[in-house]
Amino acid sequence: MLYGYLAQNGEEEMKIRKFIAASAVTAGVCVAMLTAPMANAEPVANSLIAQDDAPAPLAPSTVVVGVDADIPSGLTVRGAADKVISVQGAGEKTRTGKAIKSGSPVVFNKLTPGKVYTVLIAGKRIGTATPVAAPSPAWGLTVSTTGQLGTVALEWKHQVTKAQGKVSYQVTATPQVINARSLPSPKAVTAQVAAMSWTLENLDPAVLYTFSVTPVNSAATGAATTAAMSRTLGEIFGTGEVTSDPAPALPATQAPAQVPASVPAPVPASAPGPVAPSTRTIYVCPDAYTETGSGVCEKTSAYTYTSIGYTYHSEPNYVQVQIGTTERSHPFDGNACGWGTLYGNTCYEWTAVYETRQQGTNQVKDTTPAGYTDTGSTWSKKDAMPTGYTDNGSAWVQTTAKVAKIVSA
């Protein structure tokens, strides 16, 4: 088998793996095994030759109204136009609000993090939701080398409480110094993880990095813990990948010429050398990100929606049709006889008789599909939040650490 060859021939392994990956992409298939069957050989039972590793699709949502714990100590409810929205927590006063238009968010602030609240639309219970507190600060970040040149191991600490809900961590390695032999613009290396340790790969051995770990939940980000390198991985491992090129040493055969002591050589006045440029390193937000008042680099993306046109069904149209009259009489009591006729002392009145009959049909709009809201012209549903973003109640937001930039002093 080819994998046996790979195990015994390490020098060619990468070339062969690249060839396998390129062949798979060109053919449009996922290659799970590359064993060539012998001519006229019997097929082996239960041999897997290809597999789709994509996850199973999620079941369709049956919730019409969305409730998100996307702000600290609060909830955002969407999808209920012109209806009173209420949140009820045990031992607390019921809070109410109303959407301005279909799909507009209704925000409830100053709720108790970690407490379960019942959400009602027009008095009907739609479910429960739990506000979360902003994440507490992370601390104690340590960065250690591993057995691989471009890989480091990070560990940190964070006090997780019930009020914070589910917390993940944004791990970032931001370049400090660029060596002349490395890439022109080394990129920051990032990862979003759930545990309080992580192995970060694909670091440039010739670059100094500042590492940061930021706790994130559905509502906000907490204060980061940071640590900066003082030596590159190349210097630590002795590979020659350092942040500056040392002055070249003279070959052994080129020893400096000795001047005889009896004849001192004149020393010419040296011309002044160029003044080295004075620079400094600052930290700025990457392109497409803007700095917020709290010093966080933030990028927003407007919500996107999926809309579908209305569908209709026919229902019978019923009308009232007069089919005749009916007569009734009663003794005249001295008052008006109404719409009837007075004969002697008797008042005779006639009343129209109606019958309900079907006349054609009416086109009636179908019920709004699950997960959608009625905008007045279409049924609309907000798309799923992109990976790496959080929802602030008005847009999707992504945060990242600042990157180093060398500027004139």
Side-chain angles (χ1 to χ4, degrees), residues 359-384:
Q359 287 187 354
T361 59
N362 291 328
Q363 292 297 306
V364 180
K365 185 169 62 178
D366 293 333
T367 303
T368 302
Y372 287 80
T373 57
D374 194 331
T375 66
S377 58
T378 62
W379 291 316
S380 180
K381 176 177 67 173
K382 187 170 74 174
D383 296 331

Side-chain angles (χ1 to χ4, degrees), residues 65 77-80 83-86 119-126:
V65 179
V77 185
R78 297 175 184 80
K83 294 182 179 179
V84 175
I85 303 172
S86 305
V119 182
L120 303 96
I121 306 295
K124 181 179 180 181
R125 181 182 184 275
I126 66 165

